[in-house]
Amino acid sequence: MKNSAILAWRRATVNDCSLLADLNHQLIRDEGHRNKMDVVQLSQRMNGWLQFGEYAAVLFQHGGDVVSYALYRETAEVVELRQLFVIRNRRREGIGRQTLTILRGRVWPKTKRLTVEVLAKNAAAVAFWRALGFRDYSMCLEILPEP
Ligand SMILES: CC(C)(COP(=O)(O)OP(=O)(O)OC[C@H]1O[C@@H](n2cnc3c(N)ncnc32)[C@H](O)[C@@H]1OP(=O)(O)O)[C@@H](O)C(=O)NCCC(=O)NCCS
């Protein structure tokens, strides 16, 4: 798989919301996010995003199976990547890298700045983005409210 351009891709529609919500749910677990939404709630949120065009999503397949997806929104100057997920049993095969190559080469305009927010504890993703050429730009610091 590595370095071979064999992922097929297509833009997701509202009909893909259940699938995307299931993958989003896994992503939330894997990145260690605090979001407690269940798959049904995630599906409703996804539906709203895609239906009204606030966000767009792209699905990537290998051998007929969905192996990754990306969710992003575009403003006049920026492409903000909100979600990127590679299925668990296909990681470290170059699928994430190839997903970004396709997005940058065929889906997103080359004229816009790309941004992605990463949880500080998600070391795998931080390493991934840096390997792909992303550079640190800002940090979000916080104090949690008392329980
Ligand atoms: C982050 C993620 C998208 C990476 O996808 P992937 O297909 O495994 O990444 P690739 O195989 O294309 O890796 C490309 C390079 O990134 C770096 N990298 C990827 N995963 C890494 C890890 N776990 N640890 C260290 N470096 C890593 C490596 O340099 C790698 O190249 P190499 O395999 O030749 O060493 C995937 O792990 C994932 O979906 N994680 C859960 C969801 C998530 O955290 N998404 C990002 C939210 S911001």
Side-chain angles (χ1 to χ4, degrees):
M1 171 81 213
K2 274 199 167 176
N3 302 322
S4 51
I6 50 173
L7 288 188
W9 64 277
R10 66 176 174 82
R11 290 175 199 276
T13 71
V14 286
N15 297 326
D16 297 305
C17 281
S18 308
L19 166 65
L20 287 167
D22 187 49
L23 298 174
N24 188 180
H25 195 251
Q26 295 178 48
L27 184 155
I28 288 166
R29 297 293 166 286
D30 292 355
E31 68 181 350
H33 203 285
R34 293 183 196 128
N35 188 332
K36 296 277 187 274
M37 293 167 85
D38 62 24
V39 175
V40 173
Q41 293 168 321
L42 291 170
S43 182
Q44 287 164 351
R45 183 177 72 165
M46 189 66 75
N47 197 295
W49 281 343
L50 297 185
Q51 190 177 359
F52 300 110
E54 189 182 350
Y55 284 92
V58 181
L59 283 161
F60 298 82
Q61 288 176 294
H62 181 244
D65 299 323
V66 170
V67 291
S68 63
Y69 83 94
L71 179 89
Y72 64 94
R73 77 171 152 203
E74 227 180 296
T75 66
E77 292 170 356
V78 185
V79 176
E80 297 173 7
L81 184 55
R82 179 164 177 146
Q83 297 172 0
L84 176 76
F85 180 77
V86 172
I87 60 168
R88 289 169 179 161
N89 62 343
R90 298 297 305 271
R91 291 184 187 156
R92 297 307 289 269
E93 293 183 33
I95 289 175
R97 187 186 288 276
Q98 205 182 121
T99 296
L100 255 290
T101 300
I102 293 169
L103 288 167
R104 296 189 66 184
R106 302 179 64 183
V107 181
W108 295 336
K110 295 184 176 60
T111 49
K112 293 187 183 179
R113 177 173 167 255
L114 307 179
T115 62
V116 63
E117 219 176 82
V118 191
L119 295 181
K121 63 182 172 185
N122 189 358
V126 172
F128 172 76
W129 294 117
R130 288 188 178 142
L132 266 67
F134 285 72
R135 294 294 167 250
D136 299 10
Y137 174 63
S138 66
M139 288 176 74
C140 175
L141 308 180
E142 68 172 3
I143 295 177
L144 291 175
E146 300 198 358

